[in-house]
Amino acid sequence: MTPRSTERSSYHHGGLRQAVLAAALEVIAAEGPGALSLRDLARRAGVSHAAPAHHFGDRTGLLTAIAAQGFELLADTLAGGTTLADRGRRYVRFAAGHPAHFQVMFAPALLRADDPDLAAARERAGAELRAGVAAPPGRDARATGIAAWSLAHGFATLYLTHNVDDAVGGVPPEEYFDGLTGFLTDPRD
Amino acid sequence: MTPRSTERSSYHHGGLRQAVLAAALEVIAAEGPGALSLRDLARRAGVSHAAPAHHFGDRTGLLTAIAAQGFELLADTLAGGTTLADRGRRYVRFAAGHPAHFQVMFAPALLRADDPDLAAARERAGAELRAGVAAPPGRDARATGIAAWSLAHGFATLYLTHNVDDAVGGVPPEEYFDGLTGFLTDPRD
DNA sequence: GGCGCAGTCTTGTCAGTGGCTAGATTCGCG
DNA sequence: CGCGAATCTAGCCACTGACAAGACTGCGCC
């Protein structure tokens, strides 16, 4: 009754929302968000060109849904983390494993900024990000968190944009990142 | 003979390439690269819709030209730097001062990867980036450079995407970044 | 069981866009 | 002065996003 594939006999698709999201992630990962075409996604799902609009409103709505899903996934990924270094590693692995989500999450021009689902998901991820950041003596905890976030986010971005391919080689990026974590001052002094 | 403004009496514009580039930067800074419309840029410059194509080939060509210009500007900005921290500060200031360039430079999906001008400009900026990175004892110089680059790039990105607005407040971002530089281990041990 | 309603999908349409081709105009250089 | 090359125009086509109006169907409620 609920044909999740592109094959479909009934009038209703049954899993259109999921199908469109999945197809969108493929396209974005391969060619970037600019290459997204709602009509193409509709064709891939085997529905008419206007069907996706019902679920997402418009193009911005679709990207906003993807971003919200991304922040949820990121929050889940970070939730199990122990140390600050471990959270950084998880952050990088998330970016490498979900490049499409990651791109869209940090492209505010593509998103509906006032979407409540997006705001909630972002807040949840932000809380996980800040959780358990112990400030080194004499250091502001918030600054410590931002330095760590910057390091992880910057490396992830540079990795995804192929700016550190030479250095990283075939090594999994989160593993290479472990070696970078050591550059942050540890709270030993 | 060379009316650089949108007003134009002669058949030839005279400064179309510059005019289109400038208009494009405005649009990108305000609404992101996705909002770029070659036809809109042509209208702003007061020329026919196909005129820009002669200078840039296509949309990708225009963005590639912007990215190349951005890497040139970045190289110039970094060239005067002294310490690693100072280069980081300059990197952040460049991103904050040229948000449109910065966005496009690190959006490989939008660029013609094999463009020789882009490759040359990127290489020049890369050389400035690597120049004078002294490795702390026992550290790989390349890893040191990547850590510093990641920190600066990550902070710049988070700043431009409004993810650290609360913490930074009204402070110039490169100034706030100075406080973050201290988290990188200095080569004193 | 059947009925209505809300959710889902379709068809049709319109303006805007990118990119192509053919041609007009003008600049620069010999 | 003249000619080739650079620049710009005009017209066209396929495609896209968004909207409106209508068809289909599953689900809950009586």
Side-chain angles (χ1 to χ4, degrees):
Chain A
M1 283 304 113
T2 54
R4 303 280 160 175
S5 77
T6 57
E7 302 304 326
R8 172 174 67 118
S9 50
S10 64
Y11 186 88
H12 284 48
H13 183 285
L16 222 207
R17 189 183 168 92
Q18 291 307 316
V20 168
L21 279 174
L25 291 173
E26 277 183 34
V27 173
I28 295 174
E31 308 174 60
L36 254 198
S37 152
L38 292 181
R39 286 173 119 95
D40 179 50
L41 298 179
R43 276 190 294 271
R44 289 176 186 236
V47 295
S48 84
H49 64 87
H54 180 77
H55 293 275
F56 302 102
D58 56 7
R59 200 185 135 91
T60 302
L62 168 60
L63 290 166
T64 301
I66 290 175
Q69 192 185 51
F71 279 110
E72 292 289 349
L73 284 170
L74 175 60
D76 293 346
T77 301
L78 293 177
T82 54
T83 65
L84 188 59
D86 182 46
R87 279 166 193 270
R89 165 189 252 273
R90 284 164 178 263
Y91 193 94
V92 171
R93 194 176 47 192
F94 168 81
H98 305 82
H101 282 110
F102 192 75
Q103 272 184 78
V104 175
M105 288 158 64
F106 295 96
L110 301 178
L111 308 177
R112 193 170 331 274
D114 57 356
D115 184 83
D117 289 346
L118 174 60
R122 174 181 276 137
E123 182 44 43
R124 194 161 92 80
E128 288 294 344
L129 219 43
R130 288 185 298 272
V133 174
R139 295 287 199 187
D140 175 10
R142 188 158 68 167
T144 308
I146 289 183
W149 190 11
S150 293
L151 187 71
H153 189 86
F155 178 73
T157 304
L158 293 176
Y159 173 76
L160 288 178
T161 52
H162 303 286
N163 281 99
V164 289
D165 286 356
D166 287 353
V168 175
V171 178
E174 71 270 20
E175 209 163 293
Y176 185 93
F177 181 73
D178 284 342
L180 259 41
T181 306
F183 284 94
L184 284 183
T185 18
D186 9 27
R188 58 179 146 78
D189 55 319
Chain B
M1 283 307 109
T2 53
R4 303 279 161 174
S5 78
T6 55
E7 302 304 326
R8 174 175 65 119
S9 50
S10 64
Y11 187 89
H12 282 50
H13 182 284
L16 224 207
R17 188 184 168 93
Q18 291 306 316
V20 168
L21 279 174
L25 291 173
E26 276 183 36
V27 173
I28 295 173
E31 309 173 60
L36 254 199
S37 151
L38 292 181
R39 286 172 118 96
D40 179 51
L41 298 178
R43 275 192 295 272
R44 290 176 185 236
V47 296
S48 83
H49 65 88
H54 180 75
H55 293 276
F56 303 103
D58 57 8
R59 201 184 134 91
T60 302
L62 168 59
L63 290 166
T64 301
I66 291 176
Q69 192 184 51
F71 279 110
E72 291 289 348
L73 283 170
L74 176 59
D76 292 347
T77 302
L78 293 177
T82 53
T83 65
L84 189 57
D86 182 46
R87 279 163 193 271
R89 165 188 253 273
R90 285 162 178 264
Y91 192 95
V92 170
R93 193 175 48 195
F94 168 82
H98 306 81
H101 282 109
F102 191 75
Q103 272 183 77
V104 175
M105 287 158 64
F106 294 96
L110 302 178
L111 308 176
R112 195 173 324 279
D114 57 356
D115 183 84
D117 289 346
L118 175 59
R122 173 180 277 137
E123 182 43 41
R124 193 160 93 79
E128 288 295 343
L129 220 42
R130 287 185 298 272
V133 175
R139 296 287 200 188
D140 176 10
R142 189 158 68 167
T144 308
I146 289 183
W149 189 11
S150 293
L151 187 71
H153 189 86
F155 178 74
T157 304
L158 292 175
Y159 173 77
L160 288 178
T161 53
H162 304 286
N163 281 100
V164 290
D165 286 356
D166 287 353
V168 175
V171 178
E174 70 270 20
E175 211 162 289
Y176 186 92
F177 181 74
D178 284 342
L180 260 41
T181 307
F183 284 93
L184 283 184
T185 18
D186 10 27
R188 59 178 144 78
D189 55 319

